[in-house]
Amino acid sequence: MPPFLQRLRERKIVQWAVAYLAGAWAIMEVAGYVGDQFSWPAVVGQVITVLAVVGFFLTLVLAWYHGEKGRQRVSGPELLMVAALLLIAAVAVSLIPGSEEGATSSAPFRAPAGNGRPAIAVLSCENFSPDPTDASFANGMHDEILVRLSKISGLSTIGRETVEWYRDHPRPMREMVAELGVGFIGECSVRKDQSQNQIRVTFQLIDGNTGSQIWAENYDRSLTASSIFAIHSDVAQQVARAVGAVLTPEEQARIGTRPTESLDAYTANSIGRVWLSRRGTQGSEALEQAIARFEEALQHDSAFAPAYAGLATAYLLSPFYGEFVPGDVAYQRAADAVQAALRLNPDLAEAHTALAFLNINYEWEWQAGERGYRRAIELDPGFATTYQWFGFYFITMRRFDDAQESMRTALRIEPLSPIINEDYGDAYYYDRDYERAIEQYERTLALFPARQSTHIMLGLALLQLQRYEEAREQLLLGLGDTEGPPQLPGAGALSVVYSRLGDSDAAQEIVDRSAGGTIQMRLFSYAGTEDVDGAFEMIDLAVDQRAPWLWRVTVDPLFDFLRSDSRYDDLLSKMGLD
């Protein structure tokens, strides 16, 4: 036998290597399983792999020098080799991409940490109907399933906007599960046969870590509203049972409700929900379409409470999307709709959320608004909009820790909602934590680079840090090329930037262009030139109209120039904030 092979045999190098490989394989399998259970970031597995490879070569060195017949003291060459291998390991680990919050190696985000409850993402229902226009019907089925699952307090759900993002940006299941921090995936398909008056819904629950099927069911039913609601209820109960979430008797009753017997009303309401969810990208057009569909649903069934709640929400939001409905008209229609919804169903969480928004933003009944949001959360702990709007209440009350926590909860439910991502940054902006606000706005733009309002908010935060050139760049991106009245609040911020840069003519031009715009546009432009009298003139008009955005004047640093004026104290008194 050659001398080299003889030395390998004497020192039992092969035995050491085989033993090490077996042990390393077992450790990596256990680490992989534990990592899947606790959604460890990918970097942990990468570090373990690097250490396992380097450890193999360390084992060979130790075996060579300390085999059965080897020396029992550490030599100089041995120390050099061990040190070199450890240095290689350190360099390799340092080169692995980090896994900071909000980013992964494959996506620019990671959902906030969960709350310890079983978490599920139900992917958009596929439309298997012969008629492609029935896609809206499939969307409605998906939305109703999510609504019922979100009412279960022992379960965490991912919202519609986020799963729709994954429909348009498909990813491997393991990657999606890690990004969302969920343990289960729901998949459904819908086939509607109008000619046979039949519907087939298929739903399966999948273990997100293993990809194995946990539960599945085919529902073949007659095409009636009653049958559809029965499917929604059964899916929610079966999913809860499969993942170990216990339903309270109250939750059992809520997910079993059948709010209409009209299929046409159900269908129109479902389409309205789709349009309402698109307001963040399609603005006033989406809200107009949503209002039309909700009103159509109510024509088919005037006692359909969810349609009233959807209608109230759409009208409440309309002043924030171009005022295509006059503010006083929107307020009255929203108030009528929300009262009708609660009269028909006092336990409708969306209606309580709408009423709280109405109390706070239009009526300045702050305590009633807080009670309304808390009641809505009791009724539906998985409705992201409640936490989002509640966050702005906390901002107005200057309870910024509560605001950030509420926004974070909304983001946990809808981690890929453009508006909630932006609003999470707002919770830091109004707290004057501008660095944290900038981080969140940049994270939002990494996901949604065309979102103009986020560019504006980023510009506002940069302005407060006196990074004027960067602020101007972001504000111009947000405002776009327009010859009409500039958008707000970017108009006022851009006017401030020009003033700080010494370009008073450009600042005044913005004020002049805003003269033909809304009260809000003119108010923000006066902030740029710090025109105290002009600003209070607009504020008085806003008070008379009970403008729903007036709370912002009390917290936005753009209006700090008003704080020392006695008229500002009068404003706080009128709003009940003194």
Side-chain angles (χ1 to χ4, degrees), residues 153-480:
S153 59
L155 191 64
S156 291
T157 56
I158 299 297
R160 166 203 277 278
E161 283 188 272
T162 298
V163 293
E164 284 189 345
W165 189 91
Y166 278 100
R167 179 191 61 194
D168 300 329
H169 305 80
R171 274 168 158 64
M173 182 178 295
R174 177 180 286 271
E175 193 172 320
M176 179 173 61
V177 164
E179 289 169 2
L180 293 176
V182 299
F184 305 94
I185 296 293
E187 294 181 344
C188 65
S189 64
V190 179
R191 181 179 177 85
K192 176 184 173 186
D193 190 340
Q194 191 81 39
S195 63
Q196 299 296 320
N197 198 39
Q198 290 289 316
I199 182 174
R200 162 171 278 208
V201 177
T202 299
F203 192 97
Q204 64 172 339
L205 182 66
I206 299 172
D207 187 316
N209 298 311
T210 65
S212 59
Q213 185 185 85
I214 298 174
W215 168 79
E217 185 66 76
N218 291 322
Y219 297 91
D220 291 292
R221 300 286 191 273
S222 58
L223 186 55
T224 65
S226 179
S227 296
I228 291 169
F229 288 126
I231 294 172
H232 301 156
S233 177
D234 191 67
V235 167
Q237 293 181 67
Q238 295 292 347
V239 167
R241 186 177 297 114
V243 303
V246 179
L247 275 71
T248 67
E250 294 79 11
E251 291 168 348
Q252 186 84 34
R254 287 178 201 135
I255 67 175
T257 57
R258 300 179 184 183
T260 184
E261 296 297 328
S262 169
L263 182 62
D264 290 332
Y266 166 83
T267 303
N269 179 69
S270 297
I271 297 172
R273 298 282 163 190
V274 174
W275 280 111
L276 188 61
S277 70
R278 292 175 180 171
R279 64 185 183 273
T281 55
Q282 296 179 249
S284 60
E285 177 190 356
L287 287 176
E288 289 182 79
Q289 290 288 343
I291 288 171
R293 300 289 78 76
F294 291 134
E295 289 178 339
E296 179 186 344
L298 291 169
Q299 288 173 3
H300 292 293
D301 183 354
S302 60
F304 191 11
Y308 279 114
L311 187 63
T313 300
Y315 274 123
L316 287 173
L317 293 172
S318 62
F320 299 91
Y321 291 87
E323 297 189 355
F324 63 93
V325 179
D328 56 343
V329 175
Y331 163 77
Q332 191 56 57
R333 291 180 180 176
D336 292 343
V338 76
Q339 292 299 335
L342 288 172
R343 185 172 60 252
L344 292 163
N345 183 356
D347 291 336
L348 190 57
E350 184 185 6
H352 282 279
T353 296
L355 179 59
F357 187 95
L358 191 76
N359 286 333
I360 287 172
N361 292 277
Y362 287 88
E363 298 175 353
W364 305 332
E365 296 287 347
W366 308 103
Q367 292 182 347
E370 179 172 0
R371 288 195 300 269
Y373 283 136
R374 294 196 184 282
R375 178 57 177 157
I377 290 171
E378 289 177 6
L379 294 168
D380 188 347
F383 188 33
T385 300
T386 305
Y387 299 101
Q388 176 195 1
W389 292 358
F390 205 1
F392 282 109
Y393 163 80
F394 288 129
I395 287 171
T396 309
M397 295 293 107
R398 298 180 178 273
R399 293 162 58 180
F400 295 111
D401 289 344
D402 290 333
Q404 289 151 19
E405 178 59 31
S406 194
M407 292 294 189
R408 194 177 299 116
T409 302
L411 196 63
R412 186 184 303 130
I413 299 168
E414 283 283 17
L416 285 169
S417 164
I419 183 63
I420 292 178
N421 270 276
E422 180 183 309
D423 288 350
Y424 185 34
D426 293 351
Y428 290 106
Y429 169 76
Y430 292 116
D431 193 17
R432 307 187 182 220
D433 187 348
Y434 302 120
E435 296 288 357
R436 292 284 295 275
I438 288 169
E439 289 177 9
Q440 181 58 32
Y441 293 142
E442 289 179 338
R443 187 175 294 128
T444 303
L445 289 170
L447 290 164
F448 313 102
R451 186 168 177 79
Q452 288 181 285
S453 58
T454 306
H455 281 292
I456 289 174
M457 292 306 302
L458 175 57
L460 289 172
L462 291 166
L463 166 63
Q464 298 303 324
L465 293 177
Q466 300 181 10
R467 292 160 61 177
Y468 298 129
E469 295 292 347
E470 296 172 78
R472 177 169 60 179
E473 178 185 356
Q474 291 299 323
L475 291 169
L476 289 172
L477 285 171
L479 293 169

Side-chain angles (χ1 to χ4, degrees), residues 409-576:
T409 302
L411 196 63
R412 186 184 303 130
I413 299 168
E414 283 283 17
L416 285 169
S417 164
I419 183 63
I420 292 178
N421 270 276
E422 180 183 309
D423 288 350
Y424 185 34
D426 293 351
Y428 290 106
Y429 169 76
Y430 292 116
D431 193 17
R432 307 187 182 220
D433 187 348
Y434 302 120
E435 296 288 357
R436 292 284 295 275
I438 288 169
E439 289 177 9
Q440 181 58 32
Y441 293 142
E442 289 179 338
R443 187 175 294 128
T444 303
L445 289 170
L447 290 164
F448 313 102
R451 186 168 177 79
Q452 288 181 285
S453 58
T454 306
H455 281 292
I456 289 174
M457 292 306 302
L458 175 57
L460 289 172
L462 291 166
L463 166 63
Q464 298 303 324
L465 293 177
Q466 300 181 10
R467 292 160 61 177
Y468 298 129
E469 295 292 347
E470 296 172 78
R472 177 169 60 179
E473 178 185 356
Q474 291 299 323
L475 291 169
L476 289 172
L477 285 171
L479 293 169
D481 296 324
T482 176
E483 297 181 356
Q487 294 185 42
L488 57 102
L494 190 57
S495 180
V496 174
V497 170
Y498 284 133
S499 295
R500 304 283 174 83
L501 292 174
D503 192 344
S504 58
D505 290 340
Q508 186 61 45
E509 180 187 355
I510 291 175
V511 176
D512 295 339
R513 287 173 58 197
S514 298
T518 64
I519 294 173
Q520 194 176 7
M521 287 180 182
R522 294 164 68 187
L523 172 60
F524 274 92
S525 70
Y526 286 137
T529 54
E530 296 194 357
D531 183 343
V532 176
D533 291 335
F536 276 112
E537 181 183 353
M538 294 301 105
I539 288 172
D540 288 340
L541 292 174
V543 169
D544 291 340
Q545 296 183 9
R546 312 288 287 191
W549 46 263
L550 197 51
W551 61 269
R552 184 165 184 168
V553 175
T554 69
V555 289
D556 196 321
L558 275 179
F559 297 101
D560 281 351
F561 71 99
L562 301 176
R563 312 285 183 227
S564 60
D565 194 290
S566 62
R567 288 172 289 184
Y568 179 73
D569 294 330
D570 292 339
L571 170 65
L572 294 182
S573 179
K574 290 174 183 176
M575 296 182 68

